[in-house]
Amino acid sequence: MTQQPAVVELDPPATCRISYCDLWVHTDLPFCLGHGVRWKDQGRPDIDEYATGYEDDSTPGHERVDLHAMTSHLRLEMQYALQCRHDDAAIRISPAVVQVVVSAPPRRTGRCR
C-alpha cells in the first residue's frame, strides 16, 4: 500500500494594500488590478501615502459604499447591481446616495391586508 504525499498548505496570496480591499495583488503591483491601474495613472506615488489616501472618504474618487451590514445574499445582489451600473457607464451615482439605500432599515415583508 502506497501513501499519499503530504498536503502542503500554501500561504494565501497577498491582498491589496488598500485597507478595505480584500482582492489579491496583481502580478508585480502592490495593489489589486483596479487600485494598481489608478496608482500607475497617478505616476506611481509613494505606496504608503497612496494607500493612506483611500482612508479619507472625502477625497474625490476615493468614496466607498460599506455593504457589510447587509446579508451575504443581498450584498451580492447589490454588488451585481452596482457593477452593472458601472459597466453601463451611463449616469454616475454618488456613493453617498447608494449608502443611504444600503443603510436603510429592512422593511417588514408580508402580505398586504
Side-chain angles (χ1 to χ4, degrees):
M1 179 188 229
T2 61
Q3 274 195 341
Q4 294 290 329
V7 174
V8 177
E9 299 266 344
L10 300 176
D11 290 333
T15 56
C16 183
R17 295 281 296 270
I18 306 302
S19 65
Y20 57 84
C21 184
D22 296 331
L23 297 177
W24 295 346
V25 295
H26 191 265
T27 58
D28 61 340
L29 296 173
F31 305 103
C32 67
L33 180 60
H35 290 120
V37 167
R38 285 188 212 105
W39 176 69
K40 284 182 177 181
D41 288 347
Q42 293 179 16
R44 298 175 187 248
D46 178 76
I47 293 170
D48 291 329
E49 287 179 23
Y50 179 78
T52 302
Y54 272 88
E55 299 304 315
D56 181 12
D57 281 348
S58 64
T59 303
H62 291 191
E63 305 94 342
R64 62 181 181 261
V65 177
D66 183 3
L67 303 176
H68 287 95
M70 302 178 107
T71 64
S72 59
H73 181 83
L74 191 54
R75 184 171 41 247
L76 288 171
E77 293 284 345
M78 181 60 80
Q79 288 170 332
Y80 178 73
L82 292 170
Q83 186 65 53
C84 287
R85 186 168 185 105
H86 177 270
D87 292 347
D88 288 345
I91 299 172
R92 188 171 191 278
I93 187 167
S94 164
V97 172
V98 176
Q99 191 65 57
V100 168
V101 173
V102 169
S103 300
R107 289 183 52 189
R108 188 176 156 152
T109 59
R111 298 169 67 171
C112 295
R113 295 180 192 233

